[in-house]
Amino acid sequence: MSGLLDINFFALSGQLLVGLINGSFYALLSLGLAIIFGLLRIINFAQGALYMVGAFAALLGLKYLSLSYWQALIFVPIMVGIFGMLIQVFLIRPIANQDHLYSLLLTFGLALMLQGIFTHLFGSSGLSYPTPEALKGGTRLPFMYLPNYRAWIIAVSVVVCGLTWWAIEKTKLGAYLRAGTENPQLLQAFGVNVPLIITLTFGFGVALAGLAGVLAAPVYSVSPDMGSNILIVVFAIVVIGGMGSIGGAIITGLAMGVIEGLTKYFYPQASSTVIFVVMVIVLMIKPSGLFGKEA
Amino acid sequence: MTLKKQILTAAIAGTLASAAMATTDGKVKIGVLADMSGTYADICGPGCVVATQMAIDDFGGKVLNKPIELISADSQLKPDIASAIARRWVESEDVDTIGGLVSSAVTGAVTQVTNNSKNIALITGSASNGFTTKACSPYIAHWTYNVVALANGTVKTMVGEGKKKWFFITADYAFGHALETVSSNVIKANGGEVVGSVRAPLGTTDFSSYVLQAQASGADVVALANAGNDTVNALNAATEFGLTESMDIAGLLVFSQNTKAMDGNVAGGMKLTTGFYWDLNDETRAWSKRFKEKHGEIPSMAHAGAYSATMHYLNAVQKAGTDDADVVMKQMKTTKPNDFFAVNAEFRGDGRMVHDMLLVQIKKPAERKDEDDIYKVLKVIPGNEAYNPMLDECNFSR
Amino acid sequence: MINRKLLIALLAIGLLAPLAVYPVFLAKLLCFALFAAAFNLLLGFVGILSFGHAAFLGTGGYVTGWLMLNSGLTPELAIIAGTLAGALLGAVYGKLAVKREGIYFAMVTLALAQLTFFIYLQAPFTGGEDGMQGIPRRALFGLIDLSNNTVMYYLVLAIFCFGFWLINRTIHSPFGQVLKAIRENEPRAISLGYDVEKYKWLAFVISAALAALAGGTKSLVFELASLTDVHWHMSGEVILMTLVGGVGTLFGPLAGAALVVTMQNYLSGGELGNYLHIIMGAVFVICVLSFRSGIVGQLQKFKRNNF
């Protein structure tokens, strides 16, 4: 009898841990989205595609430039961030004064283009990226075998999310940023280059997606549609957390990953719908999201 | 315009428009509908087009004194896209026969079209046994293999070796379901037990939660009732989470390309069933060398099957003197297929091509002479042992 | 309001087209045109963006398909049933969605559509990844055999004309005037005493019903209903068609659907299949940046400015 219970506990903990790992990706990606929407009022539907670009950049960097995983962790987000800044300056800034929905449609189109280009170049089945040597192997926990690389993912996500939250909420730079989005003219009057800050912020939000891409490469195959599959979930998370809330996105991302894991154990068929059910419920009860401020 | 007028107009137009059913125009046009860039692209994608073209070329490029035409398209593994392409091909582009056909969902949708329009479907990539049972038709030629042969090979052998408790990770569509059902029956019939199963969508890349469930089940063997990259990814996840240390993994459908993509140290020792191995004998080696020169990679059983099926079809057209599907099918079923692929073969009344299958074992890297030396052939399984018996109601040769 | 001559010209083309063009392609085009027109009712005339319209297209397709496969119903009854199912779903989803505005409305519709997608993915009756295959067309009213593609096409043409007429009547009715008022200045409409939420909800239901009508018809044309119809890419595609064709114009969705379906026809299935997404994406971007009024919108502007 206790043997049966043991297995159940082990299986449950295993799923929760996997859920936490998935939640780390959700948190990183929704953080980027939340920054871009919360602070810049831009709806970046291309976040998923840029995550995919990050993963491909790591893969191609390894193949053609002998870029190691560790180098990719640093350079790929920067590269993706720069790419994002170019997009913001040339495509998004011109429509900045229009209805938010236009930025949604524009970035949607962008995402389609990026996905199409990579599918054309690389086919739609996944390519594999090797786990870095230093992170191979794992630890045998009582309830499951935890691969080192997966633990690494959780660690990186928590650290990056934490630092970002601190930077935005607690530092002077963050204060400028928040001021710049609430009242750009006033801040500009103080001599702060507001357009530059906006561009840099967009670049940072996108760089987070690129980072998530590099982290994902060894565990999810690198394929052109990896972004579109995860994007809808991430959008739901940002809405649940509250579209203006940075902290909300992080916490909700991790929480949703765990909830998904729980569902996989108790009622697997619902595991893909549970996030959307939660979103609908939250929107009905607290429309601005769990941690959001009314727009 | 009133409805009545519209109906009248429609009736007139209807008589003017061609009621395009299968055209017997004396010219043979083959359409290869395969997965050109997705999960199954290496198994039956551009390679199936190459193999079919090889058959056409070896046949002489002409039949019934007219050149043989070959066109191809990407099903993108979507039934609706494949169905639309197939429909357009047979209704407005004079395609006689559709080949390639991988992914049982796609093949199901396409055969709905070809059965109605009386065109032959040469199924070389798909595995579901439904095409010669529930969904049998006089216009279906199921050539290369099916799930029954796979189960009777791999599963039966392993249960016989004492692996009694099984857990399935199944691709969640027609093929996966069929493979799991048939395999479960074989397991139970041989004294084994299915302790659990889980369904993963086609194209899943991260199998970690499924692997965890398998680990919790206490099975002896985790059977992967999927194919292509799904199998490779599942095996990777199993390795990553240490499952391979305590349980066996049985890849129920593994093609040579997938074997090459797997880590030999982990996959080595795995037994699987296949319809073809390039290094089996002189004949297979000769053909495979030619194929590799054109395609750049050793052939999978689907490629070899595509060549064999096309050849047999063209021979039948020649003998029958027409491209009419009924007549050609009858001719195909009268002659026994005989080439490097179809060994001890018979093309049955239900459209099933029965031939010898091979039980092979994946070689560990240390045992391999070169990167293509992947299998050790353990035994030959005669066709009538491997395949399901013909159902009376599907016997179209009576 | 509608140019009589243009209408007659289009109708004539519609009636004669199957003599020259593959009827199934034409039928597909009209189904998508109806879908886009239904969507445009919300975006163009009420001013709200639904990012989950695929849910209704798919529901129409699955319900109609299931009825044709599992009962002896004649096609027109099955299509009507599919339409009603879409209307019902629209009523429920609409109630939830219209409480929110702008981007939140779009997100709610997206979430609800995803919910629908995953339910259909799991539900055995849809066939999941395999799709609902082999849907029979049978005979319209029990009399007219639909297995001939040209006959089927004329039925689709009739259905499209009906849907188009309904949208036109709705827009030009007092109800439609209120919708336009809501689009132009919602607070003022509220201050005038209109129950704005109820108007939006009604428009949503009509839009959902017509989308389901398109879906049910389409499943008979192709004798197949699949997950592609409920996937969020499909929701994106209908936005594209409307955007390209001209938001808020009557013929815009038709033009947009014609363009997109034709592009798909030529590019998909071949080597160039992936160019399709690249081109579609590029068109989206260009449309938003410059061409926001779409093909028909630009033509109208051109006409107004020059004639």
Side-chain angles (χ1 to χ4, degrees), chain C residues 24-236:
Chain C
V24 175
F25 167 76
L26 292 169
K28 179 182 181 188
L29 197 154
L30 287 180
C31 286
F32 277 106
L34 180 59
F35 182 39
F39 170 80
N40 190 33
L41 183 66
L42 288 182
L43 183 61
F45 295 100
V46 187
I48 52 182
L49 175 71
S50 157
F51 217 113
H53 249 53
F56 309 118
L57 184 78
T59 299
Y62 280 130
V63 170
T64 302
W66 187 86
L67 284 169
M68 290 305 285
L69 275 171
N70 292 295
S71 75
L73 277 182
T74 46
E76 74 284 353
L77 292 176
I79 291 179
I80 290 173
T83 309
L84 288 174
L88 191 65
L89 197 69
V92 174
Y93 285 2
K95 257 283 176 287
L96 293 171
V98 295
K99 292 199 198 319
R100 309 297 305 139
E101 284 175 22
I103 180 64
Y104 292 95
F105 174 82
M107 288 292 112
V108 173
T109 55
L110 180 60
L112 290 168
Q114 278 305 96
L115 208 58
T116 319
F117 175 83
F118 284 115
I119 292 174
Y120 284 145
L121 175 62
Q122 300 287 359
F125 86 95
T126 61
E129 295 273 6
D130 305 331
M132 204 179 261
Q133 299 183 1
I135 298 174
R137 288 184 187 167
R138 288 209 279 271
L140 185 68
F141 305 123
L143 299 168
I144 307 164
D145 186 22
L146 291 174
S147 55
N148 181 311
N149 284 327
T150 310
V151 176
M152 183 76 218
Y153 163 74
Y154 282 118
L155 174 65
V156 177
L157 181 63
I159 292 175
F160 172 76
C161 289
F162 165 74
F164 193 76
W165 168 85
L166 186 67
I167 292 175
N168 190 39
R169 287 256 67 248
T170 306
I171 294 168
H172 291 113
S173 68
F175 173 73
Q177 301 291 27
V178 178
L179 293 180
K180 274 185 255 179
I182 295 173
R183 178 190 71 193
E184 296 302 323
N185 196 331
E186 195 169 324
R188 185 172 292 176
I190 298 174
S191 70
L192 284 171
Y194 288 109
D195 185 351
V196 163
E197 244 183 57
K198 186 150 142 242
Y199 277 88
K200 282 188 191 172
W201 177 78
L202 271 170
F204 196 88
V205 174
I206 297 174
S207 175
L210 289 174
L213 175 62
T217 312
K218 187 164 87 70
S219 71
L220 286 183
V221 171
F222 286 106
E223 295 173 327
L224 179 79
S226 74
L227 288 175
T228 306
D229 297 331
V230 262
H231 195 270
W232 62 272
H233 279 165
M234 182 60 80
S235 295

Side-chain angles (χ1 to χ4, degrees), chain B residues 322-344:
Chain B
T322 169
D323 59 350
D324 176 87
D326 291 297
V327 181
V328 172
M329 268 305 234
K330 206 157 160 206
Q331 180 62 45
M332 281 173 80
K333 289 177 182 172
T334 351
T335 333
K336 282 196 201 293
N338 187 10
D339 57 35
F340 67 93
F341 172 78
V343 177
N344 289 328

Side-chain angles (χ1 to χ4, degrees), chain B residues 147-157 186 273 381 385-388:
Chain B
V147 294
V148 178
L150 297 174
N152 279 333
T154 319
V155 177
K156 201 162 167 188
T157 310
V186 171
T273 313
I381 307 174
E385 269 182 46
Y387 288 95
N388 40 315

